[in-house]
Amino acid sequence: MSRSLARTKAKASPLKRKVERNAARTPAKVKPTRLPKRLTFVTGNPGKFRELAAQLKPLGIAVIQDKRGYPEIQADTLAVVAEAGARHLLASGLKPPFLLEDSGLFVAALRGFPGVYSRHALETVGCGGLLKLMADVELEMRSAAFQAHLLYVD
């Protein structure tokens, strides 16, 4: 039994040497990330707040809900909308660290519409209006993806 163990070690040693060589090339100092004790989550959605608070509680992070919201600019990507929201919140006096989220429904048959304009589409044409836009699309060809962009500001 000890012989086969010795063979296994001998076979593994070239790989071990390769890993050690690669590790030697990797920068040794990596700055550890310090987690905040408190994090403000800017959302009016109580479900999103409860979910994030439950996820971060085991890490010792208290999540505080801020319902103030922010103006959603008309932009091509969720990231740009979130970044503009963060700038607005900072200018209005919200102190970091905070987290905000922008999301949208991207319908393939409508080439991604409503996407970043989901809230506006829901408030104006609603789900019925979106379905009317897809009236000529076969049911099998209808698909959509929900995308969310989280932005952490520290």
Side-chain angles (χ1 to χ4, degrees):
M1 188 169 200
S2 61
R3 256 189 202 161
S4 62
L5 181 59
R7 285 186 195 143
T8 304
K9 284 184 180 177
K11 289 180 183 177
S13 66
L15 177 60
K16 184 179 176 186
R17 284 193 300 269
K18 184 176 181 180
V19 169
E20 288 171 354
R21 275 197 314 268
N22 288 338
R25 292 182 195 145
T26 306
K29 292 185 180 182
V30 176
K31 239 184 184 180
T33 303
R34 218 171 67 206
L35 297 175
K37 296 289 182 199
R38 291 176 42 140
L39 176 64
T40 302
F41 185 25
V42 181
T43 182
N45 185 321
K48 287 180 183 180
F49 167 71
R50 282 191 304 272
E51 184 178 359
L52 182 67
Q55 292 286 324
L56 296 182
K57 186 176 182 179
L59 299 174
I61 301 172
V63 181
I64 293 89
Q65 184 178 13
D66 186 319
K67 297 180 183 179
R68 78 176 81 187
Y70 55 91
E72 292 189 18
I73 64 164
Q74 300 299 308
D76 292 332
T77 67
L78 297 172
V80 172
V81 174
E83 289 166 8
R87 283 192 295 277
H88 172 82
L89 292 165
L90 287 167
S92 71
L94 183 60
K95 301 288 183 220
F98 64 87
L99 184 70
L100 64 125
E101 177 261 357
D102 193 48
S103 56
L105 180 68
F106 294 76
V107 179
L110 301 177
R111 291 184 271 162
F113 182 80
V116 295
Y117 310 107
S118 292
R119 178 178 291 173
H120 179 72
L122 183 61
E123 291 171 354
T124 55
V125 299
C127 293
L130 290 175
L131 290 172
K132 283 181 186 177
L133 289 172
M134 293 190 298
D136 296 334
V137 179
E138 296 177 29
L139 289 177
E140 298 81 26
M141 301 303 293
R142 294 182 185 190
S143 66
F146 182 81
Q147 296 179 18
H149 183 84
L150 286 169
L151 181 64
Y152 176 75
V153 180
D154 62 349

